């Protein structure tokens, strides 16, 4: 049957491409033509994995733009606050609940005398704090948590998942049941418990010279990272496991084994490298949920303490006044969306550049 | 296969038992208690209440008693909603949550897989960009914002959808959408990435090279291989969707199970914490078992032993 | 074979979800759809009033309830000997009249003739005896058991309350209690059915079939976390005067959803309004602010340094700009508090308020703030912490459930910074917070107190040594003695003198820093008439009328 169709001649000279659009063409159901088959034959040059990836990433327009946006957001969150005329905790008397670009009476008086007043771009909140300044500071916390926590999740989750799948059998079964358990025991219970128990030991620890860095990062953030490394890597582990389960049955793994590669080498060099696409995408998808988990943790008393804002806490506070001050939701929500969009597109770009399966 | 199934079933019971035990001791370690209130009850009242519910006994005795009752299927009575049985709370609220959550999952899976595949097949085109953009927004906006905004626009500003309860068919629209929004976006992102992975695989070239039609290659090889991570994601998601979402149920006033998970913990309603956790553990373990079997069936190369 | 199995299992995953969808249809929707918060009154359809008073109540057992929304739900199904009118004045309810002995210690109530429960069983004085004794029984576990303290026999666990005959109830009090009639209108004082409670236990208050009351309305449906439907009780003695045929309490818990439902007219009454929205409702005639008998304050842990120092506590209290908090965070016309016992509490002469007689301990006028702050700085200097030097970093604890608590914490932090001290903010989830505060594991914490009845003792009683609500862990022998004397005194003049003296001590010792007196906010549609709120915040819809 198949032999026959191979012989069939078609006029179709279009390049083969996978598509599933709303416009179905009869051609889509036709067997592949000779040219189409020929087109699939390519010769690849041999270059170093990383060099190759970076070279290809540079050529990716979307990826480069999102990289620039990410760098800009970092600048916005980490550098700009030092030069901004307002800070996140300063409560300006008389400037409470201003709308964007509205000036208070005192500020108007200063301007009338020829003085300059920096505008409140997104207005001020109930206590007279500049919302723009708070959004910048909030971005700092959210970016930090988003990136670091996602990295923690990536490391723990991928190693755990890969080990479980690679060794399989009882190892896999036991390891995955542990994942089930972590997944099911109510996280709020553990968080509340940690929120009352973690703080004082950490502060004590920070007093010791070796651990002075804890104070720099902040006890709140450290507690958040501890919770992430205890609880939230399990989905990542499950996804990586599912990928490795398939990959480990492929020929090159058998080949590597036959050549005497060690387990850790196979996991690192062959299995994880080959799930890099999934790893990048899942990690970028993890960033928003890390950002919002921070809000939830801070609410339960584990995390950054007021008046330090985060984008999530700004958004949730803004919901309380949605009908009267709808614009208060705008600034944090847009900032979160930009950050997440940029990271996701960056992730896509990286994946296009580094995924060994996507070379063409 | 049967042996594997039996093994997993035994393991499931053990997993649930470990979850129950961990939760039991964890909840007593957490400060606070069910009878605390802004106005503290008198010591006599407190003592009487603790005696009444057996909370005055040593923890290991309480644990033993609880486990014995659990074996008989008795989850006890709530300490906060005095007189209400935990079984009763779970089984009157579950159908409501399951109904809304089930619809949301169907919406999320159908549209997520569809949009994700379309995006992957049109990689780099405007359709792909649009889907990536929208699905990323869907992940960037948390459900409490989505729900409140939906309520704000469709419920209050436009007044086209009812804002609370589940009295009419139209009242399902907002909660189902609010619930489906995130998983739909997530699945579509996941699906796109996996589809791209699969399309780059040698066997796809082989399939095309050996002369399969586009459609046949897509459905027989691509979809089947690409859907694995989605299935993985779906297992626990299903368990959570069926048991409801605290946020969505609170905002749209849906009498589901979702808020029992949170309120039982914030209220230190010990029997309800245990009941909901054990129930969730049961669902998760079952779903994960199903997922593993589905893997095996979708991808025969996987060796589960 | 394998393929079939695949399809089967994939389907199983989905069918599980679909089964839920096609399950029970009428779990909660066999009600007429009231899109407009009311149904047009025509012959067949009953008039339904849709309101919101709170989220799903934990309990509506009159003895067990201690929540304000629960109380509203109870007073529609039950009625005490007395009930409150529009002005909060007790008027006869189940009782027809009362005879008070000359010494004010014996109350003889006569019940109305022919009273019955909603199922038709006759209601007798014995039902009150049972209900009241049940409420103080520790086994019942009623939070409000102490409300019966003024009745003789409370300490022995057997109240001196006798049903002389079916319609006569005699109550003997420990001391003259001017607010006793008001107490009998309190939900905890409602009669309950002995036979039903003995048969069903605590579960009696969960199902309409067993939730038999004697009030103006009766519960006909309760879908937890959805709604409660009440219907006029045709056996109620004042049936003719009752308002809507049905009252549907929608059990919403999200403030934005409540506001949305009110704005679209789906409910005509909303007992919740996000503080940040007040600005746009302030001028509306549907926005109501009622005084509440309560005080928002800050607790200092008086047992731990540095707040074991009276001077420091006073300095911290004086440095609070109460007007700023009230205007910018409270927003609802709360009165800045210069004392603990709230406004609205009567003095010995009921035409005067306790507050008017006692005056303020802290001058809360706007002009006085600079002076207060200067004084606070002086006090810090006196305590050895000039400009905050040498003062440790302290922590202010609050619970995050309401955004207002956080905003007040942030404002306080900045105000206290003026003393040169650094205050860190910490939040704890509600139950943890209660536990921490009660055990005194804090330095400064937010606190609040709502009185249970119109008498200053409701505010002052809690500060005695070892009281469960004495979060400040404060102990003062003179204070304890005064309160004990007040409780056993029959002379109102002496009683009030001593209560004023007790409050003086509280502020001489600067045990707490009051911030403002609570108010109760609600939204009520112009269509709704004759619904009212009591000073304790209970809402009365039984005589409401819906205009078109």
């Amino acid at each position: 049957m198949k032999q026959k169709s191979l012989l069939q001649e078609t006029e179709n000279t279009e390049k083969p491409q996978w598509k599933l659009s709303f416009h179905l063409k009869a051609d889509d159901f036709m067997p592949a033509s000779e040219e189409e088959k020929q087109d699939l034959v390519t010769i690849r040059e041999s270059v170093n994995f990383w060099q190759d990836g970076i070279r290809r990433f540079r050529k990716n327009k979307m990826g480069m733009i999102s990289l620039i946006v990410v760098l800009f957001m970092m600048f916005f969150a980490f550098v700009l606050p030092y030069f901004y005329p307002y800070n996140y905790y300063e409560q300006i008397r008389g400037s409470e609940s201003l709308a964007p670009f509205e000036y208070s009476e005192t500020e108007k008086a200063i301007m009338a005398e020829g003085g300059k007043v920096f505008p409140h771009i997104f207005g001020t909140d109930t206590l007279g704090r500049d919302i723009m300044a708070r959004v910048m500071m909030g971005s700092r916390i959210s970016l930090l948590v988003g990136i670091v926590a996602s990295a923690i999740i990536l490391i723990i989750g991928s190693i755990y998942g890969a080990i479980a799948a690679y060794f399989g059998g009882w190892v896999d079964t036991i390891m995955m049941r542990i994942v089930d358990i972590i997944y099911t025991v109510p996280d709020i219970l553990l968080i509340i418990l940690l929120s009352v128990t973690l703080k004082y030991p950490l502060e004590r620890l920070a007093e010791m010279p070796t651990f002075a860095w804890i104070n720099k990062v902040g006890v709140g953030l450290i507690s958040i990272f501890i919770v992430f490394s205890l609880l939230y890597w399990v989905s990542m582990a499950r996804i990586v496991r599912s990928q490795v389960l398939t990959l480990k049955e492929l020929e090159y793994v058998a080949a590597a084994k036959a050549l005497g590669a060690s387990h850790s080498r196979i996991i690192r060099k062959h299995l994880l490298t080959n799930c890099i696409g999934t790893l990048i995408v899942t990690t970028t998808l993890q960033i928003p949920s890390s950002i919002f988990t921070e809000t939830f943790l801070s609410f339960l008393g584990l995390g950054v303490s007021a008046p330090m804002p985060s984008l999530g806490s700004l958004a949730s506070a803004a919901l309380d006044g949605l009908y009267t001050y709808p614009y208060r939701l705008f600034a944090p929500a847009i900032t979160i969306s930009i950050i997440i969009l940029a990271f996701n597109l960056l992730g896509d770009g990286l994946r296009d550049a580094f995924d060994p399966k996507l070379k063409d | 296969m049967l042996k594997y199934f039996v093994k997993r079933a035994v393991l499931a019971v053990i997993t649930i038992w470990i979850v129950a035990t961990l939760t039991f001791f964890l909840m007593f370690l957490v400060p606070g208690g069910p009878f605390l209130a802004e106005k503290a009850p008198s010591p006599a009242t407190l003592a009487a209440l603790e005696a009444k519910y057996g909370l005055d006994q040593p923890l290991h005795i309480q644990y033993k008693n609880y486990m014995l009752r659990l074996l008989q299927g008795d989850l006890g009575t709530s300490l906060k909603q005095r007189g209400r049985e935990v079984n009763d709370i779970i089984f009157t609220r579950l159908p409501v949550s399951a109904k809304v959550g089930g619809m949301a999952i169907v919406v999320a899976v159908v549209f997520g897989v569809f949009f994700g595949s379309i995006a992957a097949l049109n990689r780099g085109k405007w359709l792909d960009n649009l889907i990536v953009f929208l699905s990323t927004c869907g992940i960037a906006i948390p459900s409490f914002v989505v729900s409140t905004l939906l309520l704000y626009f469709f419920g209050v500003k436009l007044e086209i959808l009812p804002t609370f309860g589940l009295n009419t068919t139209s009242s399902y629209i907002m909660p189902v959408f609010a619930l489906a929004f995130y998983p739909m976006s997530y699945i579509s992102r996941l699906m796109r990435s996996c589809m791209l992975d699969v399309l780059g695989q040698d066997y796809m070239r082989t399939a095309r090279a050996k002369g399969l039609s586009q459609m046949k290659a897509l459905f027989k090889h691509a979809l089947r291989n690409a859907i694995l991570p989605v299935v993985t994601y779906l297992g626990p998601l299903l368990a959570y969707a069926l048991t409801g979402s605290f946020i969505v149920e609170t905002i749209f006033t849906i009498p589901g199970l979702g808020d029992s998970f949170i309120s039982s913990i914030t209220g230190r309603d010990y029997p309800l914490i245990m009941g909901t956790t054990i129930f969730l553990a049961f669902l998760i373990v079952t779903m994960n078992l199903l997922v593993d079997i589905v893997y095996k069936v979708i991808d025969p190369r996987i060796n589960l032993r | 074979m394998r393929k079939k199995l695949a399809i089967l299992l994939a389907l199983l995953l989905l069918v599980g979800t679909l089964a839920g969808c096609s399950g029970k249809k009428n779990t909660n929707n066999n009600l007429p759809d009231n899109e407009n918060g009311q149904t047009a009154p025509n012959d067949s359809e009953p008039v339904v009033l849709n309101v919101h008073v709170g989220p799903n109540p934990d309990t509506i057992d009159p003895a067990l309830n201690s929540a304000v929304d629960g109380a509203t739900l109870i007073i529609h199904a039950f009625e005490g000997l007395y009930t409150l009118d529009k002005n909060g004045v007790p008027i006869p309810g189940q009782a027809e009249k009362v005879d008070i002995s000359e010494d004010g210690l014996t109350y003889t109530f006569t019940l109305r003739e022919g009273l019955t429960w909603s199922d038709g069983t006759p209601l007798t004085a014995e039902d009150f005896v049972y209900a009241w004794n049940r409420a103080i029984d520790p086994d019942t576990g009623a939070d409000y058991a102490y409300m019966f303290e003024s009745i003789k026999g409370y300490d022995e666990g057997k109240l001196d309350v006798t049903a002389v005959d079916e319609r006569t109830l005699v109550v003997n009090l420990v001391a003259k209690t001017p607010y006793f009639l008001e107490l009998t209108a309190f939900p905890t004082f409602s009669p309950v059915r002995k036979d039903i409670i003995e048969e069903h236990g605590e579960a009696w208050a969960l199902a309409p079939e067993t939730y038999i009351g004697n009030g103006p309305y009766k519960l006909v449906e309760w879908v937890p976390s959805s709604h409660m439907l009440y219907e006029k009780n045709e056996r109620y003695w004042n049936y003719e005067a009752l308002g809507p045929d049905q009252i549907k309490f929608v059990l919403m818990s999200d403030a934005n959803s409540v506001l949305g439902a009110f704005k679209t007219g789906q409910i005509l009454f909303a007992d919740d309004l996000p503080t940040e929205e007040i600005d746009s409702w302030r001028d509306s005639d549907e926005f109501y602010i009622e005084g509440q008998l309560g005080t928002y304050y800050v607790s200092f842990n008086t047992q731990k340094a540095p707040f074991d120092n009276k001077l420091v506590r006073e300095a911290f209290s004086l440095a609070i700009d109460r007007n700023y908090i009230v205007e910018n965070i409270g927003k609802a016309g709360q009165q800045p508090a210069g004392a603990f016992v709230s406004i609205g509490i009567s003095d010995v002469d009921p035409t005067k308020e306790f507050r008017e007689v006692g005056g303020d301990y802290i001058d809360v006028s706007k002009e006085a703030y600079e002076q207060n702050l200067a004084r606070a700085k002086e006090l810090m200097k006196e305590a050895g912490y000039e400009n905050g030097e040498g003062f440790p970093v302290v922590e202010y604890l609050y619970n995050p459930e309401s955004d207002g608590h956080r905003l007040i914490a942030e404002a306080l932090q900045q105000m206290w910074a003026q003393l040169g001290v650094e205050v860190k903010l910490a939040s704890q989830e509600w139950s943890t917070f209660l536990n921490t505060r009660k055990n005194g594991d804090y330095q400064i914490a937010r606190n609040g107190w709502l009185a249970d009845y119109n008498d200053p003792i409701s505010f002052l009683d809690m500060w005695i040594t070892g009281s469960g609500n004495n979060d400040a862990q404060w102990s003062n022998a003179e204070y304890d003695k005064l309160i004990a004397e007040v409780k056993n005194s029959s002379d109102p003049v002496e009683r009030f003198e001593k209560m004023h003296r007790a409050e003086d001590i509280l502020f001489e010792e600067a045990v707490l820093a009051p911030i403002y007196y609570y108010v109760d906010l609600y939204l009520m549609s112009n269509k709704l008439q004759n619904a009212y709120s009591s000073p304790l915040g209970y809402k009365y819809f039984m005589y409401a009328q819906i205009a078109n």
Side-chain angles (χ1 to χ4, degrees), chain A residues 312-345:
Chain A
S313 62
L314 286 172
S316 95
L319 286 182
D320 267 0
L322 188 66
Y323 294 90
T324 310
Y325 306 108
Y327 55 84
R328 284 189 191 168
L329 180 62
F330 186 77
I334 291 293
T335 316
I336 294 177
S337 302
I338 292 176
I339 290 178
I340 289 163
L341 201 63
F343 271 105
N344 273 273
L345 294 176

Side-chain angles (χ1 to χ4, degrees), chain B residues 164 250 253, chain C residues 37 49-57 69 72-73 76 225-228 247-262 266-274 520-525 528 537-539 541:
Chain B
F164 63 86
T250 308
T253 318
Chain C
L49 170 65
N50 286 351
V51 293
H52 162 265
V53 294
N56 194 43
D69 51 331
T72 299
L73 296 167
H76 283 84
S225 292
S226 171
H227 63 267
M228 289 167 102
I247 305 174
K248 185 175 168 186
F249 294 95
V250 185
L251 307 171
M252 291 195 256
S253 43
D254 180 73
N256 267 319
S257 315
V258 174
L259 185 58
F262 182 80
Q266 294 175 94
I267 53 173
L268 298 186
F269 186 98
D271 205 357
D272 202 354
L273 179 67
D520 184 23
L521 307 177
Y522 56 85
L523 296 173
M524 184 162 76
S525 162
L528 189 60
Y538 308 161
K539 308 297 181 297
F541 298 109

Side-chain angles (χ1 to χ4, degrees), chain C residues 412-450:
Chain C
L412 288 175
Q413 186 185 39
Q414 176 154 322
M415 289 166 192
W416 288 330
Q418 298 174 91
L419 299 176
V421 301
E422 187 187 343
V423 180
K424 279 191 175 176
L425 305 181
S427 71
Q428 279 182 350
E429 161 271 350
W430 180 234
S431 287
T432 317
F433 173 76
L434 281 179
N435 195 57
T436 312
R437 200 171 67 180
K438 189 174 140 103
N439 295 337
D441 295 330
Y442 70 97
Q443 292 176 302
I444 327 172
R446 80 141 272 266
N447 220 323
W449 185 258
L450 281 170

Side-chain angles (χ1 to χ4, degrees), chain C residues 80-215:
Chain C
L81 293 166
Y82 269 64
T83 181
L84 299 184
D85 72 359
K86 260 192 148 155
N87 305 313
V89 177
I91 48 164
Q94 297 284 293
E96 183 178 71
K97 63 183 171 89
V98 63
D99 294 309
I100 307 171
S101 67
E102 256 175 46
D103 56 4
L105 294 180
T106 308
Y107 283 63
T108 309
F109 294 93
T110 311
L111 301 187
R112 291 178 194 277
E113 229 181 310
L115 288 177
T116 64
W117 293 91
S118 61
D119 65 350
T121 322
L123 182 142
T124 66
E126 199 58 54
D127 291 321
F128 284 92
V129 178
Y130 169 74
W132 295 9
N133 277 305
R134 172 178 180 257
I136 65 156
D137 184 350
D139 286 339
T140 309
D143 288 346
Y144 271 152
Y146 62 82
M147 297 291 285
F148 295 87
E149 261 179 344
S150 51
I151 301 175
K152 258 188 200 165
Y154 172 79
D155 293 325
E156 292 81 48
K158 179 83 187 73
L159 295 176
D160 190 350
V161 179
T162 13
V164 178
D165 60 49
E166 291 204 336
R167 285 180 53 208
T168 315
L169 188 72
V170 181
V171 185
N172 287 306
L173 304 184
V174 180
K176 197 167 170 182
T177 312
Y179 52 89
F180 187 71
L181 281 185
E182 215 181 305
L183 280 184
T184 62
F186 197 73
T188 321
F189 283 72
S190 308
V192 290
R193 281 281 286 273
K194 189 179 178 184
D195 53 334
I196 291 178
I197 293 173
E198 281 176 354
E199 191 188 335
H200 298 275
E202 280 176 353
W204 77 277
L206 299 174
E209 299 75 48
T210 50
Y211 194 64
I212 303 295
N214 64 332

